[in-house]
């Protein structure tokens, strides 16, 4: 159980010590092995979660499936590596995974210091607190003196410290490595509050013994732009992952869905034509085929479809689009022009 | 690889001539040559590894070096021995984490030694029930993986404690127990408090002097003096006298329920208790076996001789058997102390804030400097293990058989 962590750290050290870094030509490596190796969370419903047959689903998973669809025309040409918050960056640095798609917050220091590149945002989130209803707490500003459970080594941990310091309140952090351990500790009453991204609170709440006994407080104490990460230095691979995400967002904007993508092939709209590859060379520019985006939409769907299927109001998480709506509907989701 | 040389062999004696070829065939010279070769290749390979790592890290865009130790940590720690805040540096967080590791190891080593000796002697009892109980204890605890035992104490036992509002109250106002930990009253110092530790130190010195004096007197006259009891009297009595003389210079601070939890007094977190229990009980099972082996290694004739001299059973054990058994016990005991210290790193699995969790976990992840952080952690475990060995080896030398 803990051995993976040492294995990853050991592998990173060994690879850095004895070989050249697998920096360039990730695409060639991926083609040679026939699948994309994707680092995901250890189980966060809506983002990346395995079912009883070990089939992964979630919006983070969909991004990896979309990359696989673009390269192999097969959304199942992905293998998943579940990673804890602590293991994730080392696993990517050491080449154990090709993409880290694991509700990871884009921060300046991570982008510059860890040999990583953040390529986009697939979920705009913010950190919140969950408490037991019977505590009678209605605001995060009433948490002075509380014990708070959270994951160690995350931005969550730092934001929590900043929040309590900024508001001159005392608190006791109780830090666990695995999300499940945090949930179990909070559920048993070891902590008064549980803090993580609000999407995470919605997802973990389902795992509590009595979800209705708990309430998420209204305050959002941080910005948490979550998105996929690749190794620094392989620009082609970074481009592929970035434009895969943009293709999904652009498809939603243009109204192209997994159901109508066939019919849309004959659309006269030049934007749709370029996206689906009947005009221009967007796919070839990435080192792929020109129907790359059509494959993504056909196999995985557009961003809106992925959102509604995994975290939207109709799912158990029940998260409204909010900041994650398209820019044209007042949200932050904005694909760079596909031309 | 020592090769004995043939100083008196052919070619080595005076006037043997052909100095050059003899140098080539001299086993001593050849041994030195090959050892030098090994040393040089180890150094060269090590240098290549370090250079390669540095180059590759730079190529991968990874920050390197130890400058990060001075950066502000920004995270909180559950439980610290010394004042710590989010504004402290990563280096300071390292010290905080190290102290937590040392605390649980030191208390663990003392407790496990006491318990291990107790169980080990129980195991040899002539009373069937007592010996069986010790046997069951040893066989159960040393055959279950330690991590499982930590989880057992933490998740199965301590998790069932009541919430702060339904705390279990220890009678006579001695404190409360709840899922957040154990809360005890603590003394708050007032002026004149320093007399008490001074009294304690004087008591220690007095007890040591008394013991030396009584030993010399016994050697000279054969008369015994109750030095242990008198010494204890000094160690306890002097601080008490000092406290009374200073007019009881402290007040008790009692834990009270304020807001979410008990505040004030002295508290112990459940993670510490779970780790300490698991480490102590697990290691004690091994120490019990070591103690049993040590005692059984002392020839039975020694016991019989002591009995025939009229020594009581407990005196035989204390003055004849145990001192001889210690010579067998101490070397493997050192290994158990080292194991306990290193096993404390398993606390990273629960939330006890020790070196592996705070430094090898939080700091590694916040900085991303895996190589530097792991190198520091490894160096610390190595250094402290060697220190424990050193101290125990000095003790071992002091009790070794003095051959005359």
């Amino acid at each position: 159980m803990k051995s993976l962590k040492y294995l990853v750290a050991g592998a990173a050290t060994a690879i850095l010590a004895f070989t050249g870094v697998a920096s360039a030509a990730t695409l060639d490596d991926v083609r040679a092995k026939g699948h994309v190796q994707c680092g995901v969370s250890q189980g966060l419903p809506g983002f990346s979660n395995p079912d009883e047959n070990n089939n992964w689903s979630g919006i983070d998973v969909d991004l990896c499936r979309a990359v696989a669809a673009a390269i192999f025309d097969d959304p199942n040409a992905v293998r998943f590596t579940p990673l804890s918050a602590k293991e994730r960056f080392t696993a990517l640095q050491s080449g154990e995974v090709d993409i880290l798609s694991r509700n990871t917050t884009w921060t300046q220091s991570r982008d510059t210091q860890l040999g990583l590149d953040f390529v986009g945002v697939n979920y705009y989130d913010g950190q919140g607190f969950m408490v037991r209803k019977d505590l009678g707490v209605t605001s995060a500003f009433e948490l002075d003196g509380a014990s708070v459970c959270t994951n160690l080594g995350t931005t969550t941990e730092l934001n929590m410290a900043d929040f309590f310091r900024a508001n001159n309140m005392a608190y006791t952090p109780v830090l666990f490595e695995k999300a499940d351990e945090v949930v179990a500790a909070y559920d048993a009453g070891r902590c008064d509050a549980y803090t993580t991204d609000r999407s995470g609170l919605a997802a973990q709440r389902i795992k509590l013994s009595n979800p209705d006994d708990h309430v998420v407080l209204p305050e959002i104490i941080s910005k948490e732009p979550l998105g996929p990460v690749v190794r620094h230095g392989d620009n082609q691979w970074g481009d592929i992952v970035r434009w895969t995400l943009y293709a999904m967002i652009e498809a939603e904007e243009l109204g192209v869905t997994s159901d109508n993508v066939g019919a849309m092939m004959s659309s006269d709209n030049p934007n749709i034509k370029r996206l689906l590859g009947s005009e221009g060379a967007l796919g070839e520019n990435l080192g792929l085929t020109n129907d790359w985006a059509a494959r993504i939409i056909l196999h995985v769907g557009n961003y809106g479809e992925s959102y509604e299927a995994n975290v939207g109001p109709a799912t158990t998480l029940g998260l409204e689009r909010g900041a994650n709506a398209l820019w044209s509907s007042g949200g932050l989701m904005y694909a760079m022009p596909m031309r | 690889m020592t090769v004995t040389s043939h100083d008196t062999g052919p070619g080595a004696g005076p006037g043997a001539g052909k100095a050059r070829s003899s140098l080539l065939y001299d086993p001593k010279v050849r041994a030195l040559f090959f050892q030098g070769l090994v040393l040089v290749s180890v150094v060269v390979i090590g240098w290549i590894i370090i250079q390669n790592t540095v180059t590759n890290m730079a190529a991968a865009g990874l920050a390197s070096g130890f400058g990060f130790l001075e950066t502000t940590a920004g995270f909180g720690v559950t439980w610290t021995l010394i004042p710590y805040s989010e504004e402290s540096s990563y280096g300071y967080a390292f010290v905080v984490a190290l102290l937590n590791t040392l605390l649980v190891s030191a208390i663990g080593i003392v407790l496990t030694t006491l318990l291990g000796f107790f169980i080990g002697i129980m195991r040899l009892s002539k009373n069937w029930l007592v010996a069986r109980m010790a046997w069951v204890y040893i066989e159960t605890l040393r055959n279950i993986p330690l991590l499982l035992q930590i989880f057992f104490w933490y998740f199965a036992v301590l998790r069932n404690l009541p919430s702060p509002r339904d705390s279990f109250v220890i009678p006579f106002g001695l404190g409360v127990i709840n899922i957040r930990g154990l809360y005890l009253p603590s003394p708050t110092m007032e002026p004149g408090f320093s007399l008490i530790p001074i009294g304690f130190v004087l008591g220690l010195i007095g007890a040591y002097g008394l013991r030396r004096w009584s030993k010399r007197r016994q050697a000279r006259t054969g008369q015994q003096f109750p030095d242990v009891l008198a010494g204890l009297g000094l160690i306890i009595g002097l601080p008490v006298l000092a406290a009374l003389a200073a007019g009881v210079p402290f007040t008790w601070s009692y834990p009270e329920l304020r807001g979410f939890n008990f505040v004030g007094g002295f508290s112990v977190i459940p993670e510490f208790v779970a780790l300490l229990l698991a480490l102590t009980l697990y290691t004690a099972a091994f120490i019990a076996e070591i103690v049993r082996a040590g005692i059984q290694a002392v020839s039975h004739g020694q016991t019989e001789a002591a009995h025939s001299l009229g020594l009581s059973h407990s005196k035989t054990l204390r003055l004849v058997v145990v001192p001889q058994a210690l010579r067998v016990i101490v070397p493997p005991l050192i290994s158990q102390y080292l194991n306990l210290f290193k096993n404390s790193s398993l606390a990273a699995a629960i939330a006890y804030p020790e070196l592996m969790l705070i430094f090898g976990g939080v700091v590694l992840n916040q900085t991303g400097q895996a190589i530097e952080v792991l190198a520091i952690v490894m160096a610390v475990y190595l250094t402290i293990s060697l220190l424990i060995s050193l101290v125990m080896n000095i003790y071992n030398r002091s009790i070794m058989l003095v051959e005359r």
Side-chain angles (χ1 to χ4, degrees), chain B residues 209-231:
Chain B
L210 194 70
R211 182 159 170 78
R212 289 196 55 165
W213 170 79
S214 86
K215 276 208 154 171
R216 250 178 303 161
R217 194 177 77 134
Q218 191 182 348
R220 207 171 56 237
T221 66
Q223 282 175 305
Q224 286 188 344
F225 184 83
D227 55 348
V228 174
L229 270 180

PDB file of all heavy atoms in Angstrom, chain B residues 209-231:
ATOM      1  N   GLY B 209      25.581  10.040  44.988  1.00  0.00           N
ATOM      2  CA  GLY B 209      26.637  10.058  46.006  1.00  0.00           C
ATOM      3  C   GLY B 209      26.367   9.009  47.073  1.00  0.00           C
ATOM      4  O   GLY B 209      27.269   8.257  47.481  1.00  0.00           O
ATOM      5  N   LEU B 210      25.109   8.936  47.480  1.00  0.00           N
ATOM      6  CA  LEU B 210      24.719   7.985  48.525  1.00  0.00           C
ATOM      7  C   LEU B 210      25.010   6.553  48.079  1.00  0.00           C
ATOM      8  O   LEU B 210      25.529   5.734  48.843  1.00  0.00           O
ATOM      9  CB  LEU B 210      23.220   8.158  48.782  1.00  0.00           C
ATOM     10  CG  LEU B 210      22.675   7.497  50.048  1.00  0.00           C
ATOM     11  CD1 LEU B 210      23.192   8.248  51.266  1.00  0.00           C
ATOM     12  CD2 LEU B 210      21.152   7.517  50.029  1.00  0.00           C
ATOM     13  N   ARG B 211      24.711   6.279  46.801  1.00  0.00           N
ATOM     14  CA  ARG B 211      24.902   4.918  46.293  1.00  0.00           C
ATOM     15  C   ARG B 211      26.384   4.560  46.282  1.00  0.00           C
ATOM     16  O   ARG B 211      26.770   3.468  46.692  1.00  0.00           O
ATOM     17  CB  ARG B 211      24.304   4.820  44.889  1.00  0.00           C
ATOM     18  CG  ARG B 211      24.410   3.414  44.314  1.00  0.00           C
ATOM     19  CD  ARG B 211      23.416   3.159  43.211  1.00  0.00           C
ATOM     20  NE  ARG B 211      23.730   1.889  42.560  1.00  0.00           N
ATOM     21  CZ  ARG B 211      23.422   0.700  43.074  1.00  0.00           C
ATOM     22  NH1 ARG B 211      22.799   0.616  44.250  1.00  0.00           N
ATOM     23  NH2 ARG B 211      23.744  -0.413  42.431  1.00  0.00           N
ATOM     24  N   ARG B 212      27.213   5.509  45.848  1.00  0.00           N
ATOM     25  CA  ARG B 212      28.660   5.249  45.824  1.00  0.00           C
ATOM     26  C   ARG B 212      29.193   5.002  47.242  1.00  0.00           C
ATOM     27  O   ARG B 212      29.941   4.065  47.490  1.00  0.00           O
ATOM     28  CB  ARG B 212      29.392   6.434  45.183  1.00  0.00           C
ATOM     29  CG  ARG B 212      29.149   6.513  43.695  1.00  0.00           C
ATOM     30  CD  ARG B 212      30.159   7.408  43.051  1.00  0.00           C
ATOM     31  NE  ARG B 212      31.531   6.986  43.353  1.00  0.00           N
ATOM     32  CZ  ARG B 212      32.577   7.415  42.695  1.00  0.00           C
ATOM     33  NH1 ARG B 212      32.438   8.273  41.706  1.00  0.00           N
ATOM     34  NH2 ARG B 212      33.778   7.005  43.017  1.00  0.00           N
ATOM     35  N   TRP B 213      28.695   5.876  48.159  1.00  0.00           N
ATOM     36  CA  TRP B 213      29.167   5.752  49.554  1.00  0.00           C
ATOM     37  C   TRP B 213      28.760   4.403  50.128  1.00  0.00           C
ATOM     38  O   TRP B 213      29.551   3.703  50.734  1.00  0.00           O
ATOM     39  CB  TRP B 213      28.572   6.900  50.380  1.00  0.00           C
ATOM     40  CG  TRP B 213      28.781   6.731  51.850  1.00  0.00           C
ATOM     41  CD1 TRP B 213      29.919   6.992  52.572  1.00  0.00           C
ATOM     42  CD2 TRP B 213      27.831   6.224  52.787  1.00  0.00           C
ATOM     43  NE1 TRP B 213      29.748   6.693  53.882  1.00  0.00           N
ATOM     44  CE2 TRP B 213      28.470   6.217  54.048  1.00  0.00           C
ATOM     45  CE3 TRP B 213      26.511   5.777  52.680  1.00  0.00           C
ATOM     46  CZ2 TRP B 213      27.819   5.777  55.205  1.00  0.00           C
ATOM     47  CZ3 TRP B 213      25.872   5.339  53.826  1.00  0.00           C
ATOM     48  CH2 TRP B 213      26.511   5.337  55.074  1.00  0.00           C
ATOM     49  N   SER B 214      27.498   3.979  49.868  1.00  0.00           N
ATOM     50  CA  SER B 214      27.020   2.742  50.480  1.00  0.00           C
ATOM     51  C   SER B 214      27.728   1.532  49.884  1.00  0.00           C
ATOM     52  O   SER B 214      27.998   0.556  50.570  1.00  0.00           O
ATOM     53  CB  SER B 214      25.499   2.624  50.315  1.00  0.00           C
ATOM     54  OG  SER B 214      25.186   2.031  49.076  1.00  0.00           O
ATOM     55  N   LYS B 215      28.068   1.625  48.612  1.00  0.00           N
ATOM     56  CA  LYS B 215      28.789   0.506  47.985  1.00  0.00           C
ATOM     57  C   LYS B 215      30.171   0.355  48.604  1.00  0.00           C
ATOM     58  O   LYS B 215      30.619  -0.756  48.893  1.00  0.00           O
ATOM     59  CB  LYS B 215      28.934   0.769  46.467  1.00  0.00           C
ATOM     60  CG  LYS B 215      27.699   0.340  45.698  1.00  0.00           C
ATOM     61  CD  LYS B 215      28.061  -0.034  44.284  1.00  0.00           C
ATOM     62  CE  LYS B 215      27.041  -1.017  43.741  1.00  0.00           C
ATOM     63  NZ  LYS B 215      27.188  -1.271  42.320  1.00  0.00           N
ATOM     64  N   ARG B 216      30.832   1.516  48.792  1.00  0.00           N
ATOM     65  CA  ARG B 216      32.179   1.456  49.363  1.00  0.00           C
ATOM     66  C   ARG B 216      32.126   0.928  50.795  1.00  0.00           C
ATOM     67  O   ARG B 216      32.937   0.133  51.218  1.00  0.00           O
ATOM     68  CB  ARG B 216      32.832   2.841  49.320  1.00  0.00           C
ATOM     69  CG  ARG B 216      33.969   2.883  48.287  1.00  0.00           C
ATOM     70  CD  ARG B 216      34.566   4.255  48.210  1.00  0.00           C
ATOM     71  NE  ARG B 216      33.515   5.222  47.890  1.00  0.00           N
ATOM     72  CZ  ARG B 216      33.616   6.522  48.093  1.00  0.00           C
ATOM     73  NH1 ARG B 216      34.701   7.031  48.591  1.00  0.00           N
ATOM     74  NH2 ARG B 216      32.614   7.314  47.777  1.00  0.00           N
ATOM     75  N   ARG B 217      31.065   1.399  51.528  1.00  0.00           N
ATOM     76  CA  ARG B 217      30.935   0.957  52.899  1.00  0.00           C
ATOM     77  C   ARG B 217      30.687  -0.545  52.957  1.00  0.00           C
ATOM     78  O   ARG B 217      31.257  -1.265  53.777  1.00  0.00           O
ATOM     79  CB  ARG B 217      29.787   1.692  53.590  1.00  0.00           C
ATOM     80  CG  ARG B 217      29.832   1.515  55.106  1.00  0.00           C
ATOM     81  CD  ARG B 217      28.747   2.307  55.761  1.00  0.00           C
ATOM     82  NE  ARG B 217      27.457   1.644  55.620  1.00  0.00           N
ATOM     83  CZ  ARG B 217      26.594   1.501  56.628  1.00  0.00           C
ATOM     84  NH1 ARG B 217      26.874   1.986  57.819  1.00  0.00           N
ATOM     85  NH2 ARG B 217      25.443   0.905  56.439  1.00  0.00           N
ATOM     86  N   GLN B 218      29.864  -1.021  52.001  1.00  0.00           N
ATOM     87  CA  GLN B 218      29.557  -2.460  51.990  1.00  0.00           C
ATOM     88  C   GLN B 218      30.806  -3.263  51.682  1.00  0.00           C
ATOM     89  O   GLN B 218      31.067  -4.313  52.280  1.00  0.00           O
ATOM     90  CB  GLN B 218      28.468  -2.760  50.967  1.00  0.00           C
ATOM     91  CG  GLN B 218      27.924  -4.173  51.112  1.00  0.00           C
ATOM     92  CD  GLN B 218      26.885  -4.519  50.072  1.00  0.00           C
ATOM     93  OE1 GLN B 218      26.402  -3.638  49.379  1.00  0.00           O
ATOM     94  NE2 GLN B 218      26.548  -5.777  49.973  1.00  0.00           N
ATOM     95  N   ALA B 219      31.626  -2.727  50.749  1.00  0.00           N
ATOM     96  CA  ALA B 219      32.852  -3.427  50.389  1.00  0.00           C
ATOM     97  C   ALA B 219      33.798  -3.480  51.579  1.00  0.00           C
ATOM     98  O   ALA B 219      34.525  -4.445  51.778  1.00  0.00           O
ATOM     99  CB  ALA B 219      33.511  -2.726  49.195  1.00  0.00           C
ATOM    100  N   ARG B 220      33.772  -2.398  52.405  1.00  0.00           N
ATOM    101  CA  ARG B 220      34.722  -2.294  53.516  1.00  0.00           C
ATOM    102  C   ARG B 220      34.243  -3.100  54.714  1.00  0.00           C
ATOM    103  O   ARG B 220      34.974  -3.864  55.305  1.00  0.00           O
ATOM    104  CB  ARG B 220      34.877  -0.820  53.889  1.00  0.00           C
ATOM    105  CG  ARG B 220      36.224  -0.494  54.513  1.00  0.00           C
ATOM    106  CD  ARG B 220      36.394   1.009  54.666  1.00  0.00           C
ATOM    107  NE  ARG B 220      35.308   1.593  55.435  1.00  0.00           N
ATOM    108  CZ  ARG B 220      34.524   2.555  54.986  1.00  0.00           C
ATOM    109  NH1 ARG B 220      34.709   3.061  53.785  1.00  0.00           N
ATOM    110  NH2 ARG B 220      33.551   3.041  55.736  1.00  0.00           N
ATOM    111  N   THR B 221      32.945  -2.935  55.058  1.00  0.00           N
ATOM    112  CA  THR B 221      32.471  -3.508  56.318  1.00  0.00           C
ATOM    113  C   THR B 221      31.486  -4.638  56.128  1.00  0.00           C
ATOM    114  O   THR B 221      31.180  -5.347  57.071  1.00  0.00           O
ATOM    115  CB  THR B 221      31.767  -2.427  57.159  1.00  0.00           C
ATOM    116  OG1 THR B 221      30.573  -2.029  56.442  1.00  0.00           O
ATOM    117  CG2 THR B 221      32.657  -1.206  57.342  1.00  0.00           C
ATOM    118  N   GLY B 222      30.942  -4.789  54.893  1.00  0.00           N
ATOM    119  CA  GLY B 222      29.943  -5.833  54.683  1.00  0.00           C
ATOM    120  C   GLY B 222      28.558  -5.406  55.103  1.00  0.00           C
ATOM    121  O   GLY B 222      27.585  -6.111  54.858  1.00  0.00           O
ATOM    122  N   GLN B 223      28.421  -4.208  55.693  1.00  0.00           N
ATOM    123  CA  GLN B 223      27.096  -3.760  56.110  1.00  0.00           C
ATOM    124  C   GLN B 223      26.361  -3.159  54.925  1.00  0.00           C
ATOM    125  O   GLN B 223      26.934  -2.415  54.125  1.00  0.00           O
ATOM    126  CB  GLN B 223      27.228  -2.698  57.210  1.00  0.00           C
ATOM    127  CG  GLN B 223      27.539  -3.306  58.556  1.00  0.00           C
ATOM    128  CD  GLN B 223      27.777  -2.217  59.588  1.00  0.00           C
ATOM    129  OE1 GLN B 223      28.623  -1.339  59.396  1.00  0.00           O
ATOM    130  NE2 GLN B 223      27.052  -2.280  60.686  1.00  0.00           N
ATOM    131  N   GLN B 224      25.067  -3.475  54.855  1.00  0.00           N
ATOM    132  CA  GLN B 224      24.280  -2.948  53.751  1.00  0.00           C
ATOM    133  C   GLN B 224      23.519  -1.714  54.194  1.00  0.00           C
ATOM    134  O   GLN B 224      23.192  -1.553  55.360  1.00  0.00           O
ATOM    135  CB  GLN B 224      23.303  -4.010  53.246  1.00  0.00           C
ATOM    136  CG  GLN B 224      24.014  -5.082  52.461  1.00  0.00           C
ATOM    137  CD  GLN B 224      23.040  -6.024  51.803  1.00  0.00           C
ATOM    138  OE1 GLN B 224      21.882  -6.060  52.162  1.00  0.00           O
ATOM    139  NE2 GLN B 224      23.523  -6.792  50.850  1.00  0.00           N
ATOM    140  N   PHE B 225      23.267  -0.852  53.243  1.00  0.00           N
ATOM    141  CA  PHE B 225      22.517   0.367  53.525  1.00  0.00           C
ATOM    142  C   PHE B 225      21.381   0.436  52.502  1.00  0.00           C
ATOM    143  O   PHE B 225      21.595   0.147  51.320  1.00  0.00           O
ATOM    144  CB  PHE B 225      23.449   1.584  53.382  1.00  0.00           C
ATOM    145  CG  PHE B 225      22.801   2.886  53.736  1.00  0.00           C
ATOM    146  CD1 PHE B 225      22.717   3.289  55.071  1.00  0.00           C
ATOM    147  CD2 PHE B 225      22.287   3.719  52.760  1.00  0.00           C
ATOM    148  CE1 PHE B 225      22.124   4.501  55.407  1.00  0.00           C
ATOM    149  CE2 PHE B 225      21.690   4.927  53.095  1.00  0.00           C
ATOM    150  CZ  PHE B 225      21.607   5.318  54.425  1.00  0.00           C
ATOM    151  N   PRO B 226      20.145   0.772  52.908  1.00  0.00           N
ATOM    152  CA  PRO B 226      19.029   0.797  51.932  1.00  0.00           C
ATOM    153  C   PRO B 226      19.164   1.966  50.966  1.00  0.00           C
ATOM    154  O   PRO B 226      18.416   2.932  51.023  1.00  0.00           O
ATOM    155  CB  PRO B 226      17.790   0.925  52.827  1.00  0.00           C
ATOM    156  CG  PRO B 226      18.283   1.567  54.082  1.00  0.00           C
ATOM    157  CD  PRO B 226      19.711   1.137  54.260  1.00  0.00           C
ATOM    158  N   ASP B 227      20.177   1.876  50.080  1.00  0.00           N
ATOM    159  CA  ASP B 227      20.513   3.035  49.248  1.00  0.00           C
ATOM    160  C   ASP B 227      19.440   3.337  48.199  1.00  0.00           C
ATOM    161  O   ASP B 227      19.227   4.495  47.865  1.00  0.00           O
ATOM    162  CB  ASP B 227      21.884   2.851  48.588  1.00  0.00           C
ATOM    163  CG  ASP B 227      21.966   1.558  47.797  1.00  0.00           C
ATOM    164  OD1 ASP B 227      21.052   0.726  47.950  1.00  0.00           O
ATOM    165  OD2 ASP B 227      22.926   1.391  47.040  1.00  0.00           O
ATOM    166  N   VAL B 228      18.747   2.307  47.688  1.00  0.00           N
ATOM    167  CA  VAL B 228      17.754   2.561  46.644  1.00  0.00           C
ATOM    168  C   VAL B 228      16.593   3.372  47.212  1.00  0.00           C
ATOM    169  O   VAL B 228      16.192   4.407  46.667  1.00  0.00           O
ATOM    170  CB  VAL B 228      17.250   1.230  46.035  1.00  0.00           C
ATOM    171  CG1 VAL B 228      16.115   1.493  45.061  1.00  0.00           C
ATOM    172  CG2 VAL B 228      18.402   0.513  45.344  1.00  0.00           C
ATOM    173  N   LEU B 229      16.093   2.905  48.366  1.00  0.00           N
ATOM    174  CA  LEU B 229      14.962   3.610  48.983  1.00  0.00           C
ATOM    175  C   LEU B 229      15.353   5.028  49.388  1.00  0.00           C
ATOM    176  O   LEU B 229      14.632   5.992  49.097  1.00  0.00           O
ATOM    177  CB  LEU B 229      14.502   2.842  50.231  1.00  0.00           C
ATOM    178  CG  LEU B 229      13.434   1.782  49.986  1.00  0.00           C
ATOM    179  CD1 LEU B 229      13.064   1.093  51.293  1.00  0.00           C
ATOM    180  CD2 LEU B 229      12.205   2.428  49.357  1.00  0.00           C
ATOM    181  N   ALA B 230      16.526   5.146  50.025  1.00  0.00           N
ATOM    182  CA  ALA B 230      16.971   6.464  50.482  1.00  0.00           C
ATOM    183  C   ALA B 230      17.170   7.390  49.287  1.00  0.00           C
ATOM    184  O   ALA B 230      16.826   8.573  49.333  1.00  0.00           O
ATOM    185  CB  ALA B 230      18.267   6.328  51.270  1.00  0.00           C
ATOM    186  N   GLY B 231      17.699   6.833  48.201  1.00  0.00           N
ATOM    187  CA  GLY B 231      17.925   7.640  46.993  1.00  0.00           C
ATOM    188  C   GLY B 231      16.612   8.143  46.423  1.00  0.00           C
ATOM    189  O   GLY B 231      16.465   9.320  46.091  1.00  0.00           O
TER     190      GLY B 231
END
